[in-house]
Amino acid sequence: EDQVTQSPEALRLQEGESSSLNCSYTVSGLRGLFWYRQDPGKGPEFLFTLYSAGEEKEKERLKATLTKKESFLHITAPKPEDSATYLCAGGTSYGKLTFGQGTILTVHP
Amino acid sequence: NAGVTQTPKFQVLKTGQSMTLQCAQDMNHNSMYWYRQDPGMGLRLIYYSASEGTTDKGEVPNGYNVSRLNKREFSLRLESAAPSQTSVYFCASSGGPQETQYFGPGTRLLVL
């Protein structure tokens, strides 16, 4: 059975305090590892797709990396507006996404 | 471009009532999906349509039916709502089964 586990469940940071979110996955026939951001009351917003181990992608203060078993979302010098729930999902060849439960990030000014 | 739109935004039903959730996309995407999101459970796939004219069951299809009306529209129907179907429902679309999925704003459903 495909499984995606995210840790920690919640993370509180001070503005400027860098940290990482973890996504461990067991997905048969993985065709991509996706990261989304979700604000309260909104739908998930696409951030990154990673396709192979060793791949890295960056967007502003966020950098996503991928190994054969895990993905990390590194947040450098976060700001309060980075507060959100971050979701990762493993994708298969027929389009099914298996989501983790998310990490709730709170950045205090 | 509006992206993915969903109606209604919020709905309250009584047990046994039926309703249809509507989803439309204007990105000329081939594939469309319905998910539900529950606290502590993450997003789970209900049904998907890889292309116009096809639909397939996802992880949690029981109690739901879908219709791919045309390339733009994909509806989700609850024939006899149950309290266990209280959830937030998201529609998504992608260019193809292996491409990035883009999500709508969600429909919040409460079944009493």
Side-chain angles (χ1 to χ4, degrees), chain A residues 23-109:
Chain A
C23 172
S24 299
Y25 63 90
T26 307
V27 175
S28 179
L30 184 78
R31 288 289 182 265
L33 192 291
F34 298 82
W35 282 96
Y36 289 85
R37 169 190 171 129
Q38 187 174 24
D39 292 303
K42 302 280 185 68
E45 176 188 347
F46 171 70
L47 292 173
F48 304 108
T49 309
L50 302 167
Y51 290 104
S52 57
E55 188 174 2
E56 298 183 354
K57 289 191 176 175
E58 288 189 65
K59 179 180 180 180
E60 296 182 355
R61 295 175 292 281
L62 301 177
K63 183 169 80 172
T65 62
L66 183 66
T67 73
K68 289 186 177 181
K69 295 183 178 179
E70 296 176 303
S71 180
F72 294 93
L73 185 65
H74 307 278
I75 303 175
T76 302
K79 298 181 177 181
E81 52 262 43
D82 294 321
S83 297
T85 297
Y86 290 86
L87 305 171
C88 80
T92 64
S93 59
Y94 54 92
K96 176 179 179 287
L97 289 181
T98 299
F99 279 87
Q101 295 183 359
T103 293
I104 303 170
L105 175 66
T106 306
V107 182
H108 297 283

Side-chain angles (χ1 to χ4, degrees), chain B residues 1 7 16 31 57 67 73 79:
Chain B
N1 276 356
T7 56
S31 302
K57 295 178 180 179
S67 295
E73 298 172 289
E79 291 291 351

